[in-house]
Amino acid sequence: MPHLRRGPSGTPRVVSARAALAAAAAIAALTLACNDVGPREADLLIRGGRIVDGTGGPERVGDLVIVDGRIASIGPAEAWTARRTIDADGLVVSPGFVDIHSHADLILLGDRALQQRLLGAKLAQGVTTIIVGNCGLGVAPATDEAARILSGINGWMTPDGLASPALSIADYLDRLESGGVLLNVGTLAPHGPIRISAMGLTPGPPSDEARSRMATAVERSLTEGAWGLSVGLIYPPGMFSATDELTELARIVAARDGLFTAHVRGSSETLLSATEELITIARDSGARTHHSHLEAVGERFWSSIPLVLA
């Protein structure tokens, strides 16, 4: 069964997968103390690997001792025996990779066989954690009516036979925890379900009441464990949202030290103006901000990339 790592109330939440940790035990949490602990018989010994621990320090050759799915020792392991030994001579051992941009929101609501079929390749390539709720797309937080609308918007990322009811962020993460996950999972609060829950697919500026509902939903989502807020400004309903609406919500994220991420309004003719809008939101809100896709669609727009990076 998966287990849940919780921080104090209001801090981001990660649903963890024991299977992912066990399968990638050699590439997890290498900042643990390097002293030998526990029994001298290990479940797994990875011997002589080139350890790259993700801290920015130089690589080093060493052994990793795994007991009960966790790293018990890093360094010489002459004192240990193991049920299984892997000779990692010439191979790199590193922490698991984090896929910060996944749209597996609905796949994770499926059973283990579905997750293995659609997400197993990530684990096989060393990805042990994914972040969902990107591009303003997702299933939570949503009212009953919003969930009905979202079933159409999210159709492209929904496996056959799956559907999501009305859920809060806490509900969603609880579902993942109870159902089990193949990979560790964190989520952003997607703007789409929040806006649809407040005002449907109505274009134009929100009323004062709708603004209040959206602000409350963002606050609650961050309290329930979301890592931040994502927007998708080429998709409904994000495409109907003006800069000031987004800045207002980003200020809430900034106050909680969350992350504001955006699929900007365009990737060709409008790439520069779309990026300028995102920079404006970041400056005016003070939120830590991430440009989800730096892309120029069409060869004649490739020259825009250096301008955006500058």
Side-chain angles (χ1 to χ4, degrees):
M1 290 295 291
H3 65 283
L4 181 66
R5 187 168 72 239
R6 294 178 185 269
S9 178
T11 60
R13 175 175 163 182
V14 175
V15 175
S16 300
R18 287 195 186 277
L21 294 176
I27 51 175
L30 294 184
T31 55
L32 292 177
C34 296
N35 295 324
D36 286 352
V37 296
R40 296 300 177 183
E41 183 179 31
D43 300 314
L44 174 65
L45 171 59
I46 300 176
R47 191 179 293 282
R50 294 164 51 200
I51 298 172
V52 180
D53 63 14
T55 64
E59 69 174 59
R60 62 192 186 278
V61 175
D63 305 326
L64 275 77
V65 176
I66 312 300
V67 178
D68 293 331
R70 295 182 179 275
I71 295 173
S73 174
I74 304 174
E78 288 81 0
W80 291 84
T81 61
R83 296 185 180 91
R84 181 187 177 201
T85 299
I86 296 175
D87 180 3
D89 181 42
L91 303 177
V92 172
V93 183
S94 75
F97 303 131
V98 180
D99 177 0
I100 65 171
H101 197 101
S102 173
H103 289 292
D105 307 59
L106 284 123
I107 295 173
L108 294 166
L109 294 174
D111 61 23
R112 192 51 169 265
L114 179 73
Q115 292 185 44
Q116 181 64 50
R117 180 165 61 86
L118 298 179
L119 300 176
K122 289 182 182 288
L123 186 58
Q125 294 176 74
V127 173
T128 55
T129 301
I130 60 174
I131 305 299
V132 297
N134 282 287
C135 295
L137 301 168
V139 298
T143 61
D144 288 325
E145 177 61 15
R148 184 189 67 79
I149 295 171
L150 287 165
S151 67
I153 294 174
N154 293 334
W156 66 275
M157 62 186 212
T158 304
D160 290 343
L162 275 182
S164 176
L167 297 170
S168 66
I169 289 291
D171 294 334
Y172 178 69
L173 295 175
D174 286 345
R175 284 277 295 268
L176 300 192
E177 183 185 19
S178 63
V181 287
L182 182 70
L183 301 156
N184 305 318
V185 181
T187 189
L188 299 164
H191 171 251
I194 290 171
R195 196 179 205 267
I196 292 172
S197 294
M199 54 187 294
L201 288 174
T202 304
S207 65
D208 289 344
E209 180 181 1
R211 284 181 183 271
S212 177
R213 288 180 180 175
M214 286 191 283
T216 298
V218 172
E219 285 274 12
R220 180 182 176 188
S221 296
L222 295 171
T223 296
E224 292 178 346
W227 289 78
L229 175 71
S230 77
V231 298
L233 305 183
I234 66 168
Y235 309 113
M239 61 195 301
F240 306 137
S241 302
T243 305
D244 67 318
E245 173 190 328
L246 303 172
T247 303
E248 191 173 304
L249 297 177
R251 288 193 180 106
I252 298 171
V253 176
R256 302 287 290 272
D257 195 31
L259 181 67
F260 181 84
T261 76
H263 186 138
V264 297
R265 292 191 196 273
S267 300
S268 51
E269 294 94 341
T270 58
L271 175 59
L272 294 180
S273 61
T275 303
E276 288 172 353
E277 179 188 34
L278 182 59
I279 293 171
T280 296
I281 294 170
R283 286 175 173 165
D284 291 351
S285 69
R288 294 185 294 125
T289 300
H290 172 71
H291 185 162
S292 290
H293 307 289
L294 180 49
E295 58 188 4
V297 179
E299 185 173 355
R300 64 195 177 101
F301 301 111
W302 290 356
S303 60
S304 299
I305 296 295
L307 298 175
V308 171
L309 292 174

